[in-house]
Amino acid sequence: MNTAVGRFAPTPSGRMHIGNVYAMLAAWLSAKSQVNPVIGLPGRVFLRIEDVDGSRAVPDADKWIMDDLHWLGLDWDGEPVYQSRRSAIYREALYALQSIDLDADAPLGDRSHVSGKVLVTRGDSSVSAGRLPDVPKGSAGRFPLVYPCFCSRADLRAACAPQEGDRFLIYPGTCRALLAGDPNEVRSRLEARRRHSWRIAVPDDEMGGGSVAFDDRVFGRQVFDLARDVGDTVIRRSDGVFAYQLVVVVDDLLMGVNDIVRGRDLLRSTALQVWIRKALIASGFAERYGIGSDDVAESDRGDAAGKARPVGTSVNPVYAHVPLIDAPSGQRLAKRKRSPDLGVLRAAGVEPEQVIGYCAWLLGVRKSDGIGNCGAAGPVPMDAQEALERFSWEQVKTDVSDRKLTVNWESELVSPKSATVA
Ligand SMILES: [Zn+2]
């Protein structure tokens, strides 16, 4: 029986708003509600400050977030992990991925699909970019797992049709075709230091395609076709910043996170991340950090009921994607400007129990009237422990539609009596 290990993963781009608290509460409740029967302790939650993109980080926002989490009663274990201090690890992960290739002959689902064969031995050079994937001659169906992409943002906008609401662009494969057809051109562009990103390839139709499936605690079985739904994706941007999709997988893997809770707009990203995770394990990267082949085999069977193993080494994540929060107008809360943040709410005299109670209500947590009925239809103030006693994923699942804030939610928080349904 594994101990559940969840994480708070805020981007320090400002003060938390109600939607952030909802996500943090969901992650905390999920991990804490899973008591390991062997040791009798609840799950753990780590705090990871997602500041890999320094241009988005606001000075001191990490401290505001931690102060607000304390205020809310949402505690975490250990020291916060800052992505901005982990570049060397991400670089190592990129190098590990660059050392392997896609193999059309191996079936997907079997980790040998990412062959793990080192085609080129590369020294641990300090060159940070410009590594050239070798395309083996006369080996149709084999392709470097990671390849350089010279497309500009404008090129991509022109070529890609945006998908649904998660801003995923399916890459049309321009530079993949270039590398397959004219590796010398790619080599000369790299030598000329042409600006480029690095993409991770997924098996295309010629290679037999492939899909990723996972079970989501809220949305059930999810199946994504890698080529059609995901496409080749940037893992290192052309400005040198490691992409969200890579760093999240590296961090979750190395931090032993096995209980991943986040918004339903990331369902498709999860499919990609499952793919990256498999590749990182196949490359030997995970093993270097003590995540052994036993874990890998178990992970690939998708069998969560494994034998006891120390906390921090499980590579078997369980996913829960929660409905999103809309403003009363129907607009996505995260995109709404001037959404009152915790700084505003706290200055107005709002108590943490009101914020937690409101977010717990959004998650479907209902305060029982003591005779087994849910007595209150609206949000009721409660602290994090009370929410924990009442939380279950079953409640969240009863309604998977996106949540809408009540019209007067701000004033309901400021004057709690109006929020308490008699
Ligand atoms: Zn390209």
Side-chain angles (χ1 to χ4, degrees), residues 149-151 171 174-175:
C149 169
F150 303 93
C151 299
Y171 183 61
T174 318
C175 297

Side-chain angles (χ1 to χ4, degrees), residues 243-320:
Y244 163 82
Q245 303 286 11
L246 176 68
V247 301
V248 162
V249 179
V250 170
D251 290 341
D252 284 342
L253 194 56
L254 299 191
M255 292 167 76
V257 172
N258 58 20
D259 194 65
I260 296 177
V261 179
R262 52 193 179 186
R264 69 143 181 86
D265 52 339
L266 290 171
L267 276 166
R268 191 202 305 248
S269 287
T270 294
L272 170 65
Q273 291 175 16
V274 167
W275 174 246
I276 296 177
R277 190 178 180 101
K278 273 177 181 287
L280 279 173
I281 291 168
S283 75
F285 169 79
E287 217 162 345
R288 261 173 264 154
Y289 286 85
I291 297 163
S293 51
D294 285 354
D295 303 296
V296 172
E298 190 173 292
S299 162
D300 281 319
R301 284 201 307 273
D303 173 14
K307 49 191 178 297
R309 97 165 71 89
V311 169
T313 60
S314 167
V315 293
N316 251 331
V318 176
Y319 297 95

